[in-house]
Amino acid sequence: MSSLLRFKMVDAAINHNAVDVRVPEGRPSDYFGAKVFGRAAMRKYLDKKTFEALSDTMVNGTPLTREVADSIAAGMRQWALEHGADHYTHWFQPLTGGTAEKHDAFAQPDGMGGVIEEFSGKLLAQQEPDASSFPNGGIRNTFEARGYSAWDPTSPAFIVDTTLCIPTVFIAYTGEALDYKVPLLRAISAVDKAASEVCRYFDRNVQKVYTYLGWEQEYFLVDESLWAVRPDLMLTGRTLMGHESAKNQQLEDHYFGAIPTRVIAFMRDLEYECLKLGIPVKTRHNEVAPNQFELAPVYEEANLANDHNQLLMTVMDKIARRHRFRVLLHEKPFKGINGSGKHNNWSLGTDTGVNLMGPGKSASENLQFITFLVNVISAVHKHNGLLKAAIMSATNAHRLGANEAPPAIISTFLGTQISAVLDKLAASKSDNDIRFDAKGVFKMSGISHIPTLFRDNTDRNRTSPFAFTGNRFEFRAVGSSDNCAEAIITLNTAVAAELTEFKAAVDAKIEAGIKKEKAIYEVLKAKIKACAAIRFDGNGYSEEWKAEAARRGLDCETSTPLIFDRYLDEQTIAMFDAMGVYSKVELEARTEVKWETYVKKIQIEGRVLGDLTMNHIVPTASNYEAMLLDKVYKMSQIAGLNPASDIALIKRIQDHTAAIQQLTYEMIEARKKANRIEEMRAKAIAYHDTVAVFFDEIRHHVDKLEEIVDDQLWPLPKYRELLFLR
Ligand code: ADP
Ligand code: MG
């Protein structure tokens, strides 16, 4: 790469105009779900008996018979062929964080020199992808090394380009989950079971409780030609060096600003694709940082919502290329400006249509709401360290704890009204302190009137990692590149365990002769007191909060490899086991994968950084230094000229290049040493403590050089060139 290339690419970026949007024919209601084998298509392509059997499976989880699977496959094949598909694939979510697919053609030799389009129930229901190289944490090193993928009928099949994609789970033959979908389905079912039972204290008709997820996807866009000349962006998804642009987000002129023309064209294309795929996209806007944007759909049942987010991340990447952009899903692509998260808006709702995370209209519904709210924050309190482990990664570590995103301490924000209700409830002396009036308004002595519980709670606290926002909780600590499942699995399991314990405590009191409502109050009261430490409505970015959180006994660990230890705590293992979400073997395997992934990410960053400093930065600085030396030498030939300032500059360049060379050498040595460690946890710790520590130090010197070396020589596009799309 040369600086000439940089200028060529900057020029290309400037001349990239908006791609013509393939303006969709008709309205969203015409093409929504056009590429999905959803209910409408099923009704059309399946006979009545098959349709009813499949509906039963989708709603109640009834296993499919081979015969029904064959009929579904025939209908699905017909639909797919008519919609231009020529291949099919099981689409699954391995622990790489992305999605995996292996395409097979429908066309099969018919044995008579021709081909026929084939797709049986067997191929639909189950396959054996050669999956030996997916991360598995050692599970598949046992004698039974095979794994298989099996259809998840609760998430409909869809067509991408010309491939029919069938959402599947991915499991080892020994039964362990090798993906995100299996534990997610288990955790959704755990909450369903525990929450339904608690709901029946309030309404006997409740049969099922759904988990809802509404994600908000933040992302950056950069011009493709500039991306192509930044090896760090290409290989690690973030800039490992780059001096801050003189102007970035200080003026707060990007947030909710007019969306650049090129970007709007991309967004419209993306939305069109999403709608055809049944992803109910709704909101788009500029985010805080330059070149940062957000897309959010309407919330859906969590398993489907998560499939949609996984699909979105792939589709985004593809559409972006058409517009000569690259999407950056990394949590912190640029230093000094905001990073990207993926808020997970989470709630539970009954099959009778009640949102358990929203205040209701009647006294009973409000008590039910408070019951669920308290159980959620109590679960978050008990497992705050684990929830942090669920969202932590090498990439998200850059974002958490920095002054822009949730701190690396999990706490809950409830707002003044709910806080007051809980405090009163905890402090109440007798039943008479708390009652509901005829209109169902929550009343407590001492508080003359609590507004019909906060329907429009606009009390927002942007610094909280887990905030109540009126009718849902918003888990904001989730990283932009994450599979949301990890956060939802952990949250759901913790909440299911808490509700199970709650039910047992209330039942024990009822059996002892205490009236149901009073029993619920008593257990809630004790819980509110016990989990007080998790509630924090103040500024999560402040230094005081860190000290306060430590005093409260909240998990304040900041080292990513050590944060993962929470997965293997005794109480964690017991909880996941009791809720039927993870066995101990699965937890151990998955934690192993987390450490391994951490090591690999830091290893790659270390290598790219080493390449860049030694192949790009030091040679460039040396060239400039040589020019200056030449100048100084020539100046010395002419009497009366003073080369002092040039000599000072040469010395500065010398100091920085020498430091870079020395630090890069030391970093490589540290990496070699870490590589010799066999045990994955120890290796990850070594990478964290002895390798990653060099990154910022090296970067400091590189960024200083960027400030003083001739702009014409600098090989990498600068922040000011990367960050201001028009
Ligand atoms: P904000 O940025 O103010 O949080 P957005 O409109 O960007 O709001 O995103 C809010 C997300 O929360 C959307 O995906 C929305 O569908 C989702 N949401 C709203 N109500 C619920 C709920 N009860 N349960 C889960 N998600 C919800
Ligand atoms: Mg939000």
Side-chain angles (χ1 to χ4, degrees):
M1 188 178 315
S2 69
S3 51
L4 194 63
L5 195 52
R6 169 180 154 224
F7 289 117
K8 255 172 94 171
M9 293 309 162
V10 169
D11 197 44
I14 291 168
N15 290 313
H16 281 159
N17 294 319
V19 173
D20 282 342
V21 183
R22 296 175 188 172
V23 184
E25 294 282 334
R27 302 175 184 173
S29 54
D30 297 329
Y31 51 77
F32 182 76
K35 291 185 168 186
V36 180
F37 191 62
R39 281 189 178 274
M42 287 175 191
R43 226 181 270 278
K44 190 166 164 202
Y45 288 84
L46 303 179
D47 60 56
K48 192 159 176 283
K49 205 174 115 229
T50 309
F51 177 75
E52 277 165 9
L54 179 55
S55 295
D56 188 37
T57 301
M58 287 164 70
V59 178
N60 305 315
T62 319
L64 288 171
T65 63
R66 180 64 190 277
E67 191 189 334
V68 172
D70 275 333
S71 305
I72 297 170
M76 203 187 272
R77 181 195 57 194
Q78 186 62 22
W79 171 79
L81 293 174
E82 282 176 24
H83 287 76
D86 47 25
H87 282 68
Y88 62 90
T89 181
H90 274 195
W91 180 83
F92 57 100
Q93 301 170 28
L95 299 178
T96 52
T99 53
E101 48 197 81
K102 171 185 155 248
H103 301 184
D104 282 303
F106 282 118
Q108 274 280 56
D110 62 3
M112 290 175 287
V115 291
I116 50 164
E117 274 80 24
E118 248 202 5
F119 185 56
S120 65
K122 186 166 171 286
L123 290 172
L124 165 69
Q126 188 170 318
Q127 290 191 14
E128 256 186 72
D130 173 21
S132 49
S133 45
F134 288 110
N136 57 66
I139 282 180
R140 304 184 73 260
N141 291 343
T142 55
F143 65 97
E144 180 52 275
R146 284 179 304 164
Y148 66 92
S149 57
W151 183 33
D152 164 22
T154 58
S155 183
F158 53 89
I159 296 173
V160 173
D161 298 328
T162 59
T163 304
L164 170 68
C165 300
I166 300 153
T168 56
V169 295
F170 182 40
I171 312 173
Y173 253 93
T174 39
E176 288 86 7
L178 296 173
D179 70 348
Y180 286 104
K181 197 186 249 296
V182 171
L184 179 61
L185 290 170
R186 290 176 185 158
I188 287 170
S189 152
V191 154
D192 169 21
K193 184 166 171 289
S196 296
E197 287 188 8
V198 172
C199 282
R200 287 195 280 270
Y201 282 140
F202 305 94
D203 178 358
R204 290 185 173 283
N205 297 319
V206 172
Q207 294 294 322
K208 200 171 166 72
V209 169
Y210 295 96
T211 303
Y212 293 108
L213 167 63
W215 41 263
E216 300 163 50
Q217 180 71 58
E218 291 182 342
Y219 61 95
F220 278 85
L221 288 175
V222 288
D223 186 273
E224 188 171 44
S225 31
L226 297 174
W227 173 88
V229 281
R230 289 282 318 210
D232 47 357
L233 272 183
M234 264 177 90
L235 299 177
T236 73
R238 74 176 179 113
T239 54
L240 296 171
M241 51 190 61
H243 194 274
E244 256 185 75
S245 164
K247 171 184 183 291
N248 48 48
Q249 66 188 43
Q250 311 91 321
L251 298 176
E252 289 163 357
D253 49 355
H254 189 68
Y255 191 56
F256 283 15
I259 301 172
T261 325
R262 256 184 89 186
V263 177
I264 264 288
F266 156 77
M267 286 176 168
R268 289 180 64 198
D269 241 3
L270 175 62
E271 286 160 6
Y272 180 46
E273 276 316 308
C274 285
L275 290 168
K276 282 190 289 183
L277 286 164
I279 307 173
V281 290
K282 176 93 177 157
T283 308
R284 64 185 185 206
H285 61 79
N286 285 4
E287 258 303 327
V288 172
N291 281 22
Q292 191 189 26
F293 307 93
E294 180 183 303
L295 177 149
V298 176
Y299 69 93
E300 299 175 284
E301 185 280 313
N303 175 41
L304 182 61
N306 191 47
D307 280 359
H308 280 165
N309 181 247
Q310 288 291 302
L311 182 55
L312 170 94
M313 292 195 283
T314 321
V315 173
M316 253 181 153
D317 186 62
K318 209 156 51 188
I319 305 285
R321 291 177 195 210
R322 214 164 74 70
H323 290 258
R324 300 215 181 94
F325 287 131
R326 286 297 172 137
V327 170
L328 306 178
L329 292 174
H330 192 290
E331 283 75 4
K332 190 79 180 171
F334 302 99
K335 192 180 166 186
I337 57 174
N338 275 23
S340 300
K342 181 148 56 194
H343 296 179
N344 278 207
N345 294 270
W346 173 92
S347 66
L348 302 175
T350 66
D351 56 349
T352 54
V354 175
N355 174 8
L356 297 168
M357 292 298 138
K361 291 186 205 75
S362 69
S364 163
E365 281 181 0
N366 276 339
L367 178 57
Q368 178 172 267
F369 160 61
I370 293 292
T371 298
F372 277 90
L373 181 102
V374 169
N375 274 287
V376 171
I377 62 171
S378 178
V380 173
H381 176 238
K382 283 182 194 161
H383 302 282
N384 70 89
L386 175 66
L387 281 162
K388 182 164 70 183
I391 52 86
M392 193 45 89
S393 64
T395 51
N396 206 14
H398 291 285
R399 173 177 162 258
L400 298 173
N403 237 24
E404 45 142 315
I409 300 165
I410 301 292
S411 63
T412 63
F413 167 86
L414 298 178
T416 44
Q417 288 181 327
I418 305 238
S419 295
V421 171
L422 296 194
D423 291 343
K424 275 287 155 189
L425 198 59
S428 62
K429 293 275 186 308
S430 75
D431 306 351
N432 293 336
D433 285 345
I434 309 140
R435 59 200 163 76
F436 297 96
D437 73 6
K439 282 190 181 148
V441 176
F442 207 137
K443 288 228 171 163
M444 288 181 239
S445 66
I447 296 180
S448 58
H449 175 77
I450 292 185
T452 339
L453 290 174
F454 15 79
R455 268 215 166 270
D456 299 302
N457 189 340
T458 47
D459 207 353
R460 293 291 185 96
N461 179 333
R462 288 283 162 195
T463 72
S464 178
F466 197 85
F468 180 71
T469 50
N471 63 353
R472 61 192 190 264
F473 275 97
E474 216 174 303
F475 196 2
R476 302 205 182 105
V478 183
S480 48
S481 67
D482 273 346
N483 184 316
C484 304
E486 193 72 357
I488 303 300
I489 291 162
T490 310
L491 179 59
N492 263 32
T493 309
V495 169
E498 196 65 23
L499 289 168
T500 306
E501 189 197 292
F502 172 80
K503 171 97 181 0
V506 172
D507 284 353
K509 282 185 188 284
I510 294 173
E511 256 169 52
I514 299 174
K515 271 183 63 188
K516 185 177 76 183
E517 291 237 323
K518 186 162 190 285
I520 292 172
Y521 279 134
E522 284 183 2
V523 179
L524 286 181
K525 226 191 296 189
K527 266 196 196 300
I528 295 169
K529 286 184 189 153
C531 74
I534 199 71
R535 287 164 53 193
F536 177 65
D537 284 8
N539 178 6
Y541 299 166
S542 66
E543 282 304 314
E544 297 85 74
W545 169 233
K546 285 187 195 160
E548 167 69 18
R551 271 195 299 279
R552 291 187 187 190
L554 298 179
D555 192 309
C556 297
E557 182 57 63
T558 56
S559 155
T560 303
L562 293 180
I563 287 170
F564 293 153
D565 283 348
R566 299 287 73 75
Y567 271 105
L568 299 177
D569 285 344
E570 227 167 275
Q571 65 155 357
T572 305
I573 294 173
M575 174 185 80
F576 277 119
D577 184 55
M579 293 299 108
V581 174
Y582 286 133
S583 66
K584 190 173 177 207
V585 172
E586 285 172 322
L587 274 178
E588 283 170 347
R590 300 172 88 94
T591 314
E592 184 82 359
V593 170
K594 282 181 187 284
W595 282 316
E596 192 179 342
T597 307
Y598 180 84
V599 165
K600 286 179 179 165
K601 291 230 156 134
I602 303 296
Q603 192 175 57
I604 292 169
E605 288 194 347
R607 286 179 181 161
V608 173
L609 184 59
D611 285 354
L612 277 176
T613 54
M614 301 313 289
N615 296 330
H616 294 65
I617 305 304
V618 170
T620 301
S622 301
N623 281 345
Y624 184 50
E625 198 184 354
M627 281 163 65
L628 290 172
L629 281 167
D630 189 50
K631 177 184 170 194
V632 168
Y633 179 74
K634 284 173 180 160
M635 280 170 95
S636 71
Q637 309 299 305
I638 300 169
L641 292 180
N642 181 0
S645 59
D646 290 298
I647 291 173
L649 190 52
I650 291 168
K651 270 183 68 66
R652 278 169 70 195
I653 294 174
Q654 258 304 307
D655 289 346
H656 289 307
T657 49
I660 291 171
Q661 284 164 310
Q662 177 61 23
L663 290 167
T664 302
Y665 169 77
E666 287 173 23
M667 174 183 71
I668 293 169
E669 287 306 305
R671 214 166 64 219
K672 282 186 191 156
K673 214 167 140 201
N675 286 343
R676 285 195 290 270
I677 302 173
E678 290 279 330
E679 204 240 327
M680 208 42 91
R681 177 176 179 274
K683 195 175 195 157
I685 292 171
Y687 261 93
H688 177 273
D689 294 353
T690 68
V691 179
V693 286
F694 283 102
F695 295 178
D696 273 349
E697 227 184 317
I698 294 174
R699 174 184 192 137
H700 166 80
H701 293 287
V702 174
D703 292 356
K704 283 286 170 207
L705 282 175
E706 188 186 315
E707 275 187 308
I708 53 181
V709 168
D710 184 357
D711 182 64
Q712 302 216 33
L713 299 178
W714 199 254
L716 302 175
K718 297 184 172 181
Y719 271 26
R720 64 161 191 269
E721 292 157 343
L722 286 164
L723 277 174
F724 297 92
L725 289 168
R726 268 151 304 201

